[in-house]
């Protein structure tokens, strides 16, 4: 019996000890080897890139949020970038999807500063810059649509810090690949 246990310990792969419950999921070493890299079950990926932003787990109480990136701890910044997914009805592109929401922003206290089509990694997207003087927050949203899935990347921070935050947010947004 002692020899069987020794043989099992010698010939058992150490990979079994660190493997994810399911290969190529976000908890496997293959996926998580690069800090800040997120792979969605919807087929897109996004990465903290050259920023020092931290990838956070999705909140348990919000099934629309895929993941969150936060400015580094200790930086004094409240900056956050959320990655949200939604289902869309019918065949729409990113600009059609965005235009459905543009008229609603003022009702929620946001002023639309800019709204336009953009290209990210060869894919058409729609960019919306917003500000809320009431909450002293500024936001950038970039919307992507593929099939019946929509993904919204929302970067937000205090108005006075947003210009600095936007550089990091844009670096992360540019890594979006679907």
């Amino acid at each position: 019996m002692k020899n069987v246990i020794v043989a099992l310990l010698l010939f058992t792969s150490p990979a079994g000890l660190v493997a994810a419950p399911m290969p190529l999921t976000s908890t496997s070493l293959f996926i998580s080897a690069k800090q800040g890299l997120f792979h969605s079950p919807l087929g897109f990926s996004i990465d903290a890139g050259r920023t020092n932003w931290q990838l956070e787990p999705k909140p348990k109480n919000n099934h629309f949020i895929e993941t969150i990136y936060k400015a580094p701890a200790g930086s004094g910044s409240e900056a956050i970038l959320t990655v949200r997914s939604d289902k869309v009805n019918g065949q729409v592109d990113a600009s059609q999807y965005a235009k459905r929401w543009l008229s609603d922003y003022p009702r929620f206290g946001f002023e639309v500063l800019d709204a336009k089509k953009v290209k990210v990694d060869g894919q058409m997207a729609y960019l919306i810059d917003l500000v809320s003087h009431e909450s002293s927050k500024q936001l950038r949203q970039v919307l992507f649509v593929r099939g019946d899935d929509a993904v919204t990347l929302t970067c937000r921070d205090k108005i006075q810090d947003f210009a600095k935050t936007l550089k990091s947010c844009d670096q992360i947004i540019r890594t979006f690949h679907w």
Side-chain angles (χ1 to χ4, degrees):
M1 182 66 160
K2 189 177 193 181
N3 291 338
V4 172
I5 293 172
V6 169
L8 283 173
L9 290 173
L10 287 174
F11 298 112
T12 301
S13 167
L17 301 173
V18 295
M22 182 159 231
L24 300 179
T25 62
S26 61
T27 55
S28 74
L29 288 177
F30 176 78
I31 298 299
S32 61
K34 183 172 186 322
Q35 287 268 358
L37 178 61
F38 174 76
H39 286 276
S40 169
L42 295 176
F44 68 84
S45 64
I46 189 166
D47 185 2
R50 295 184 189 141
T51 72
N52 54 359
W53 284 41
Q54 305 299 309
L55 179 63
E56 300 284 325
K58 68 186 272 176
K60 290 178 174 37
N61 60 347
N62 188 332
H63 66 278
F64 293 108
I65 301 295
E66 295 273 335
T67 195
I68 296 172
Y69 287 91
K70 289 186 177 178
S75 67
S77 175
E78 296 176 14
I80 187 169
L81 186 144
T82 59
V83 180
R84 176 189 170 102
S85 66
D86 294 289
K87 290 292 183 188
V88 294
N89 296 328
Q91 290 291 76
V92 297
D93 64 16
S95 61
Q96 291 167 321
Y97 180 68
K99 288 177 184 175
R100 291 180 183 175
W101 302 105
L102 281 173
S103 61
D104 290 334
Y105 288 118
R107 290 186 318 149
F108 298 117
F110 289 97
E111 176 187 347
V112 177
L113 301 174
D114 196 11
K116 62 186 175 188
K117 289 181 185 181
V118 294
K119 207 173 227 184
V120 176
D121 191 44
Q123 181 174 339
M124 290 308 297
Y126 202 83
L127 179 142
I128 306 169
D129 284 327
L130 307 155
V131 67
S132 170
H133 296 288
E134 190 176 300
S135 67
S136 299
K137 300 283 185 204
Q138 192 163 347
L139 290 81
R140 168 163 286 175
Q141 290 190 318
V142 181
L143 295 90
F144 299 87
V145 175
R146 184 182 207 188
D148 62 348
D149 292 307
V151 175
T152 305
L153 309 180
T154 303
C155 181
R156 78 168 180 262
D157 200 356
K158 296 179 279 186
I159 292 172
Q160 64 269 21
D161 298 332
F162 193 73
K164 185 175 75 172
T165 296
L166 191 56
K167 290 178 184 181
S168 294
C169 283
D170 281 346
Q171 284 183 13
I172 296 170
I173 291 167
R174 281 189 212 105
T175 69
F176 183 91
H177 178 77
W178 205 343

